[in-house]
């Protein structure tokens, strides 16, 4: 029986035993992509992390309701809800309308995560623009309770009315005030106040705008996540995730507005994934110069090898991305898939000792690097049969998601040419013509397949 799942909670600043609201069920909300550009490989790290979290709960027998939202409006270029809407920025860059841009990059995102073995069918992906009514409802509730006020460009949340505002991220409000930029919106009552609803500029028609009790406009980015998470998971739900950049602003604001609107705790556990940075610093969509999964693919790196690479670092540690580092992981990943494809078996049993060790590290705040290290220890363990090793590794892969079983199956579709060579080799062996059989083995190897002679005749696997 699996032990407790322990997770690091940003809210308590400690690794806590996970206690679900409903027994054996978990609701998870992961902040999703702003679809004005391709996801970069840093963004994708946050979804691989979310997928490991989901798979861990599925493995432990939980019913999982996992939401990843699509931000397709209201995420402004400037930190203080100022500047351009990122979707409009994307539309200007592409020469398309915002709806087309949102669709194009949502589709690209789905393709990327599928390639990383994050199954889209296991998630719900609500779009912000499909939830305007819910967002208006939430803002109205805040207005009635006296948390919202109007200034010339929109309806803002008064952060001074939420006494715990600074707690979650240990904010130094005084420091923020003194460090404020000159162009900061001077109508705001407090430096940390944020837009709930932005009004469309009087002199310009926005491509995305809706009627509201306050006038034509569009929702603020933070309210989107509060409205969608509570709609799909309830006013209090289990786990909220995102990148560490979201702690001081986006998540702090989500907590403030949600708890003020409902009077209840918003999310019980908050998990944050550290950044993947390139050598020049933070990888970011806004500077246009970033690595995508497609670029990795063009360079010959498979998305699953990238997933393996990510899993070799704990989610709470930063990754400083380099191709040299990636190459090291690729080598190990190829060795692992080669071993798996050469040792396919349905005869083995999951080894309990290793299963327990695996659960111990994974259930201890998702320690994937230790789980991967354990695979290599297992492979070297001479006391365990290859059949058992195979079954045990495939069971670990339910959480790691490296598709070790299926990628093998896929690649074992062999061409007619190989089949002819295999038949010729079988004939050579029946005639004890070992020289010819060895020559054919080398020829097959040169075409990318390894032939071994087992009890049932020739066994073929992919060479890498
Ligand atoms: P965005 O599409 O920019 O709204 O971000 C989507 C997710 O990626 C958020 O959870 C961010 O916190 C996260 N994120 C952004 N940049 C990085 C990075 N360089 N490494 C890891 N996660 C990131
Ligand atoms: Zn969010």
């Amino acid at each position: 029986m699996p032990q407790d799942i322990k997770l690091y909670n940003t809210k308590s600043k400690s690794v806590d035993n996970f206690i679900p609201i409903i027994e054996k069920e978990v609701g998870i909300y992961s902040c999703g992509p702003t679809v004005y550009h391709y996801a970069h490989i840093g963004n994708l790290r946050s979804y691989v992390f979310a997928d490991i979290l989901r798979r861990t709960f599925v493995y432990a027998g939980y019913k999982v309701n996992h939401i990843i939202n699509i931000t397709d409006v209201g995420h402004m270029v400037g930190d203080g809800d100022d500047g351009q809407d990122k979707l409009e920025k994307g539309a200007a860059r592409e020469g398309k309308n915002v709806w087309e841009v949102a669709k194009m990059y949502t589709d690209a995102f789905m393709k990327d995560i599928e390639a990383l073995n994050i199954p889209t069918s296991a998630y719900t992906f609500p779009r912000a623009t499909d939830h305007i009514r819910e967002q208006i409802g939430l803002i109205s509730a805040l207005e009635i309770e006296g948390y919202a006020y109007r200034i010339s460009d929109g309806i803002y949340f008064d952060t001074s009315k939420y006494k715990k505002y600074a707690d979650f991220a240990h904010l130094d409000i005084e420091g923020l005030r003194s460090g404020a930029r000159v162009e900061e919106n001077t109508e705001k009552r407090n430096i940390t106040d944020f837009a709930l609803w932005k009004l469309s500029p009087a002199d310009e028609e926005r491509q995305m705008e809706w009627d509201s009790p306050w006038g034509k406009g569009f929702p603020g980015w933070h309210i989107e996540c509060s409205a969608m998470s509570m709609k799909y998971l309830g006013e209090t739900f289990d786990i909220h995730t995102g990148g560490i950049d979201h702690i001081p602003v986006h998540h702090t604001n989500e907590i403030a507005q949600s708890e003020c609107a409902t009077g209840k705790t918003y999310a019980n556990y908050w998990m944050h994934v550290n950044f993947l940075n390139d050598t020049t610093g933070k990888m970011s969509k806004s500077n246009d110069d970033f690595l995508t999964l497609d670029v990795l693919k063009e360079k010959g790196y498979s998305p699953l090898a990238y997933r393996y690479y990510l899993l070799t670092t704990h989610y709470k540690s930063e990754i400083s991305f380099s191709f040299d580092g990636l190459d090291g992981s690729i080598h190990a990943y190829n060795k692992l898939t080669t071993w798996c494809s050469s040792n396919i078996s349905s005869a083995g049993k999951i080894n309990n000792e290793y299963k327990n060790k695996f659960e111990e590290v994974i259930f201890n705040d998702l320690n994937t690097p230790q789980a991967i290290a354990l695979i290599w220890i297992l492979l070297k363990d001479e006391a365990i049969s290859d059949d058992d090793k195979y079954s045990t590794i495939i069971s670990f892969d339910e959480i790691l998601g490296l598709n070790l079983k299926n990628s093998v199956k896929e690649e074992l579709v062999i061409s007619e040419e190989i089949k002819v060579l295999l038949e010729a080799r079988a004939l050579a062996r029946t005639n004890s013509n070992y020289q010819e059989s060895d020559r054919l083995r080398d020829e097959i190897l040169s075409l990318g397949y390894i032939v071994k002679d087992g009890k049932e005749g020739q066994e073929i696997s992919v060479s890498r």
Side-chain angles (χ1 to χ4, degrees), residues 29 31-32 69 221 225 240 246 250-251 254:
Y29 184 89
C31 282
N69 74 291
W221 169 41
C225 282
H240 196 312
H246 286 345
H250 184 49
H251 290 166
E254 273 189 55

Side-chain angles (χ1 to χ4, degrees), residues 3 18 104 144 224 255 289 298 319 401:
Q3 49 200 305
F18 175 74
M104 174 170 132
I144 291 164
E224 300 175 1
I255 294 170
D289 175 26
E298 278 158 25
I319 298 179

Side-chain angles (χ1 to χ4, degrees), residues 264-299:
K264 297 177 187 160
T265 299
Y266 178 45
N268 286 333
Y269 298 82
W270 286 84
M271 297 184 73
H272 291 97
V273 55
N274 208 321
F275 266 40
L276 174 134
N277 291 321
D278 56 26
T279 39
T280 57
K282 177 177 182 276
M283 194 169 289
S284 127
K285 280 193 220 181
S286 47
N287 66 13
D288 277 346
D289 175 26
F290 54 77
L291 281 170
T292 60
L293 200 61
D294 279 345
V295 172
L296 293 192
K297 282 196 262 180
E298 278 158 25
K299 290 183 186 285

Side-chain angles (χ1 to χ4, degrees), residues 3 38 61 86 110 175 217 219 281 310 316 322 328 340 394 413 441 446:
Q3 49 200 305
Y38 292 108
K86 290 188 178 186
M110 297 298 170
L310 290 177
K316 285 186 77 245
S322 72
C340 287
I394 295 302
V413 176
R441 187 194 56 209
S446 73

Side-chain angles (χ1 to χ4, degrees), residues 30-31 41-51 241-243 273 310:
S30 298
C31 282
I41 59 170
N43 295 131
L44 294 172
R45 182 184 188 194
S46 72
Y47 308 110
V48 169
F49 154 74
D51 194 54
T241 83
V273 55
L310 290 177

